Amino acid sequence: MNIGFIGLGIMGAPMALRLAQAGHQLYVSNLGPVAAELLNLGAKVCPTPRLVTENADIIIIMVPDTPQVEDVLFGMEGCAETSLNGKTIVDMSSISPVETKRFALKVIELGGEYLDAPVSGGEIGAREGTLSIMVGGNPDVFDKVKPFFELMGKNITLIGGNGDGQTCKVANQIIVALNIEAVSEALLFASKAGADPGRVRKALMGGFASSRILEVHGERMIKRTFAPGFKIALHQKDLNLALQSAKALAVNLPNTATCQELFNTCAANGGSQLDHSALVQALELMANHKIA
Amino acid sequence: MNIGFIGLGIMGAPMALRLAQAGHQLYVSNLGPVAAELLNLGAKVCPTPRLVTENADIIIIMVPDTPQVEDVLFGMEGCAETSLNGKTIVDMSSISPVETKRFALKVIELGGEYLDAPVSGGEIGAREGTLSIMVGGNPDVFDKVKPFFELMGKNITLIGGNGDGQTCKVANQIIVALNIEAVSEALLFASKAGADPGRVRKALMGGFASSRILEVHGERMIKRTFAPGFKIALHQKDLNLALQSAKALAVNLPNTATCQELFNTCAANGGSQLDHSALVQALELMANHKIA
């Protein structure tokens, strides 16, 4: 199959490489960090999204945020500057669910097909082909693209129609951030009250407080290992999507808003490149300094 | 062993019963909902904490809140109105960790021993002897009381010195409340964005958003089954302990404070006797009404 891949960054490059390694002909917007391997596997560089679209049947997009997806699709020399008849656009970036619905409608109006398919699992998941992929779109289109998703991920779910993949990803990022904040408040409280936070964490692991975050990020907080992992700067971007979409949908997300402020506090103090479990340091900072 | 048991309420009564069933002589402050069984097993009623203390070696307290424990220990006809030499006070109520340290010091000064040993697991756990018990105190005292804890619970942990059991319980209640709030924000967001919250929950269960709360309370939110479980009114009491202690310890718990406000919103609208997963309804209420 002729596959277009636009956006070969930290995530996109290893994902594209896995498709090429499975024998697919790739048309890529750039070569990124896996240039030599891709060229060996016969990948061809097309300098614009329009040219990628002309050559490929399925066009995968993996770019940083909503405006970049809009530009790839509908900007100058974008995908929509050639015919979208018979073309399937698969946006694997993490972007606004509200804008995604608009993009999908427009692509479908122009004769194309559209899936939103954001991922979680990070760079390691991308390299190992173990990403979780949350998909929104038409079930027939999903079935057609699924074999390609299976080259990149393990836990692949069709959530619903267009936008629902992005909605699921946002919901994931809300829970992850808020569970990190929950563990931060609990362990800081324990430590301020004079208890050993490590023992508290262990005692809580079997019960109703147990979570993947208590397990993994709770341990990072206790061992003070804040190398990423998933960077605060990226989680700020995701909570920004949550809060912007919440405004558009008229829904109140009070603790998500506070979490974003705590990430902002981390960033203000030089922590934006640390793992998101370093959010605990924003609370510590507020409890441990002198105001004169 | 002669065991005193003060506070035979919904939790205390089945806990006391398990001790009597194991063959221990009980001295109880009242008979509560298991009166006939306790009398059959030879339990004796002592109308004051002082009389319970005179008769028993280990005195277990299971009352609603901090002021009641203070009253049992140091009030009129309280435990401290007789000699505490050789007596072990075991407070299994959920109360302030800060006040607990004060109570423990005072009991020890008076020649007694003190453990704080709050539980989680609810009425069912109390009846079945499967409570989690989080203990603070001297390791030798813990070892002495452990066989009795084992008649009432399964997951029994010595967290540290006096107060640390209560601290661990507060940490537990912070995480449980905040994880419920996290799942509430995520599922309400998903639903407002037009996605099926049930499918979103399922897709998130394998990954970093997974938690016991997403599993159990997330399902209650989706199925709209808000029969308790653990009542909002009780969680309000526990978050009050968290927020009061946080003030005493000078630590900032922003999302715990917001959670309490959301529980207050539930209570304001008639929901205080519902399961704590009904917190989602406070967010729904704020998103679904008309302001004219």
Side-chain angles (χ1 to χ4, degrees):
Chain A
M1 178 80 82
N2 291 332
I3 303 180
F5 208 112
I6 297 168
L8 281 85
I10 291 170
M11 293 294 290
M15 290 163 71
L17 187 58
R18 292 188 64 86
L19 294 167
Q21 284 165 340
H24 297 291
Q25 173 63 50
L26 252 64
Y27 295 88
V28 297
S29 59
N30 63 314
L31 284 163
V34 292
E37 294 98 314
L38 280 178
L39 289 174
N40 274 342
L41 293 162
K44 288 177 185 152
V45 181
C46 299
T48 70
R50 177 177 67 75
L51 287 170
V52 172
T53 307
E54 279 174 4
N55 284 289
D57 308 296
I58 293 175
I59 300 96
I60 299 176
I61 303 172
M62 192 63 176
V63 294
D65 208 342
T66 314
Q68 287 81 38
V69 173
E70 183 157 30
D71 197 48
V72 163
L73 291 172
F74 309 114
M76 274 236 300
E77 291 293 307
C79 302
E81 296 218 333
T82 184
S83 164
L84 295 180
N85 273 324
K87 307 288 183 182
T88 303
I89 305 284
V90 182
D91 178 29
M92 302 188 77
S93 325
S94 290
I95 70 163
S96 161
V98 177
E99 295 299 289
T100 289
K101 290 185 198 206
R102 199 164 63 77
F103 299 164
L105 275 178
K106 216 162 150 184
V107 164
I108 291 163
E109 268 174 28
L110 293 168
E113 297 172 323
Y114 192 99
L115 295 179
D116 48 295
V119 305
S120 75
E123 194 185 340
I124 293 168
R127 257 189 277 124
E128 295 178 352
T130 57
L131 295 168
S132 288
I133 308 180
M134 295 152 265
V135 189
N138 181 302
D140 294 335
V141 182
F142 175 71
D143 289 342
K144 196 175 69 182
V145 180
K146 203 175 173 202
F148 305 98
F149 287 146
E150 284 167 348
L151 295 170
M152 298 180 280
K154 281 265 177 297
N155 187 9
I156 300 153
T157 319
L158 180 66
I159 309 294
N162 281 130
D164 291 355
Q166 298 292 357
T167 294
C168 189
K169 174 72 192 282
V170 170
N172 185 71
Q173 297 305 83
I174 289 173
I175 294 182
V176 168
L178 269 55
N179 283 8
I180 287 175
E181 209 280 340
V183 170
S184 299
E185 290 198 15
L187 294 185
L188 177 61
F189 176 86
S191 151
K192 281 277 170 185
D196 176 341
R199 287 200 190 179
V200 168
R201 172 178 161 275
K202 262 186 204 148
L204 300 187
M205 294 252 288
F208 272 108
S210 67
S211 68
R212 190 77 189 283
I213 296 298
L214 180 64
E215 211 182 303
V216 176
H217 298 74
E219 192 178 33
R220 284 184 195 154
M221 292 174 203
I222 287 160
K223 294 196 172 161
R224 315 302 289 178
T225 51
F226 295 121
F230 188 79
K231 286 179 187 171
I232 282 174
L234 290 171
H235 218 143
Q236 286 180 287
K237 180 214 135 186
D238 290 338
L239 294 194
N240 186 44
L241 284 180
L243 294 169
Q244 280 187 336
S245 306
K247 181 167 185 301
L249 297 163
V251 53
N252 183 0
L253 304 180
N255 284 2
T256 301
T258 301
C259 259
Q260 184 72 314
E261 291 304 322
L262 293 171
F263 282 139
N264 290 348
T265 303
C266 290
N269 293 280
S272 67
Q273 300 305 303
L274 296 179
D275 186 70
H276 48 176
S277 56
L279 180 144
V280 71
Q281 293 195 48
L283 293 172
E284 288 167 353
L285 183 155
M286 289 193 274
N288 291 337
H289 285 256
K290 276 227 170 340
I291 294 177
Chain B
M1 177 80 82
N2 292 331
I3 302 182
F5 208 112
I6 298 168
L8 283 84
I10 291 170
M11 293 293 291
M15 289 163 71
L17 188 57
R18 293 188 63 87
L19 294 167
Q21 284 165 339
H24 297 292
Q25 173 63 50
L26 251 62
Y27 296 88
V28 298
S29 58
N30 63 314
L31 283 163
V34 292
E37 294 98 313
L38 279 178
L39 290 172
N40 275 343
L41 292 162
K44 290 177 185 155
V45 181
C46 299
T48 69
R50 179 177 65 77
L51 287 169
V52 172
T53 307
E54 280 174 4
N55 283 289
D57 308 297
I58 293 175
I59 300 96
I60 297 175
I61 304 173
M62 192 63 175
V63 295
D65 209 342
T66 314
Q68 286 82 37
V69 173
E70 183 157 31
D71 198 48
V72 164
L73 291 173
F74 308 115
M76 276 235 302
E77 291 293 307
C79 302
E81 295 217 332
T82 184
S83 165
L84 296 181
N85 273 325
K87 307 287 183 182
T88 304
I89 305 285
V90 182
D91 178 29
M92 301 187 79
S93 325
S94 291
I95 69 163
S96 161
V98 177
E99 295 299 290
T100 289
K101 290 185 197 206
R102 198 165 61 80
F103 298 164
L105 275 177
K106 215 161 150 184
V107 164
I108 291 164
E109 267 173 29
L110 294 167
E113 296 172 323
Y114 192 99
L115 295 179
D116 47 296
V119 307
S120 75
E123 195 184 341
I124 293 169
R127 260 189 276 124
E128 296 178 353
T130 57
L131 294 168
S132 288
I133 309 180
M134 295 152 266
V135 189
N138 181 303
D140 293 337
V141 182
F142 174 72
D143 289 341
K144 195 175 73 183
V145 180
K146 204 177 172 199
F148 305 97
F149 286 146
E150 283 165 349
L151 295 170
M152 298 181 280
K154 281 266 176 300
N155 186 9
I156 300 153
T157 319
L158 179 65
I159 309 293
N162 280 130
D164 291 354
Q166 297 293 356
T167 294
C168 189
K169 174 73 193 279
V170 170
N172 185 69
Q173 297 305 81
I174 289 173
I175 293 181
V176 169
L178 270 54
N179 283 8
I180 287 175
E181 209 280 339
V183 171
S184 299
E185 290 199 15
L187 294 185
L188 178 60
F189 175 85
S191 151
K192 282 276 169 186
D196 175 342
R199 287 200 190 179
V200 168
R201 171 177 161 276
K202 262 186 204 150
L204 300 187
M205 293 253 287
F208 271 107
S210 67
S211 68
R212 191 77 189 284
I213 296 299
L214 180 64
E215 210 182 304
V216 176
H217 298 75
E219 191 177 32
R220 285 184 193 153
M221 292 175 202
I222 286 160
K223 294 196 174 160
R224 315 303 289 178
T225 52
F226 296 121
F230 189 79
K231 286 178 188 171
I232 282 173
L234 290 172
H235 218 143
Q236 287 181 287
K237 181 214 134 187
D238 290 339
L239 293 194
N240 186 45
L241 283 181
L243 295 168
Q244 281 187 336
S245 306
K247 181 166 186 303
L249 298 164
V251 53
N252 184 0
L253 303 179
N255 284 3
T256 301
T258 301
C259 258
Q260 183 73 314
E261 291 305 322
L262 293 171
F263 282 140
N264 290 348
T265 302
C266 290
N269 292 281
S272 68
Q273 300 305 302
L274 296 179
D275 185 70
H276 49 177
S277 55
L279 180 143
V280 71
Q281 292 194 48
L283 293 173
E284 288 167 353
L285 183 154
M286 288 193 275
N288 292 337
H289 285 256
K290 275 229 170 339
I291 295 177

